[in-house]
Amino acid sequence: MSDYYGNTGISSDASQSCANLDGDGYSFSADALAKAGVTAGGNVTSGGVSFTWPASCQPDNVLAAGQTILLTGKAGATMIGFLGTSTDGATSGPVTITYTDGSTSTATLSFSDWAGTAAQGENTPASIPYRNSGSGTSQSLTISVYEMSLPLTAGQTVASVTLPYVSDNINGNATMHIFSIGEG
């Protein structure tokens, strides 16, 4: 996934200005996430899928803008999971899953706003009580990372996923952020 990251949305409390998830200078606190059990390079399990959480103060998420992400498929997997969130409102759109034999399946990927609550079909593997600001202060506001799993075609192995086109720009746009993709 790191080859596709283009936005930095996680900062340490000691270096809050290194990230800007939402275009207004706010970011997830790596320190608060660690207290919630989510650490850089660590596993996050949700919806029967295991994910690797990225490091802070460097590009750590993909803005869903219709790009195709190559994956090393897991034989026998029955679902593909996405770990992410949305800023400036909830987002959704079609994701296309391409299998190693060239066939495809399509489903809808949705994430609630990071300051909202999980919608139907979403899980909340982490919620934290504040977010960091580029100004160096924290804002008390519960924000969340969500997980959504989608079914895979039985007997197929994933080769790639094409994300929905939501926005390629965080400034004033509802944006879908993908931190990690996994299979289970």
Side-chain angles (χ1 to χ4, degrees):
M1 281 289 299
S2 62
D3 290 343
Y4 301 94
Y5 291 154
N7 176 255
T8 303
I10 308 164
S11 64
S12 69
D13 290 355
S15 183
Q16 295 185 25
S17 64
C18 70
N20 181 6
L21 184 73
D22 66 352
D24 291 324
Y26 291 103
S27 60
F28 280 101
S29 163
D31 301 73
L33 285 166
K35 288 179 184 173
V38 177
T39 58
N43 285 333
V44 176
T45 301
S46 181
V49 178
S50 182
F51 303 92
T52 301
W53 187 251
S56 62
C57 288
Q58 63 187 35
D60 53 41
N61 69 91
V62 175
L63 303 180
Q67 60 275 70
T68 298
I69 297 177
L70 300 176
L71 299 172
T72 302
K74 179 179 171 183
T78 60
M79 67 183 90
I80 187 165
F82 298 84
L83 197 61
T85 199
S86 292
T87 54
D88 288 320
T91 60
S92 68
V95 61
T96 301
I97 302 157
T98 302
Y99 301 98
T100 54
D101 70 354
S103 63
T104 62
S105 62
T106 303
T108 300
L109 179 62
S110 302
F111 285 120
S112 296
D113 186 87
W114 67 328
T117 57
Q120 184 175 350
E122 297 174 349
N123 295 306
T124 308
S127 286
I128 58 175
Y130 65 93
R131 63 185 181 177
N132 287 341
S133 170
S135 67
T137 60
S138 298
Q139 181 186 37
S140 293
L141 178 69
T142 301
I143 56 172
S144 301
V145 175
Y146 305 106
E147 182 273 337
M148 182 174 230
S149 293
L150 303 172
L152 295 173
T153 301
Q156 296 287 359
T157 302
V158 175
S160 67
V161 294
T162 301
L163 298 175
Y165 187 93
V166 177
S167 177
D168 62 359
N169 185 325
I170 58 173
N171 296 317
N173 299 304
T175 307
M176 180 184 288
H177 303 264
I178 309 294
F179 291 99
S180 188
I181 300 173
E183 295 177 66

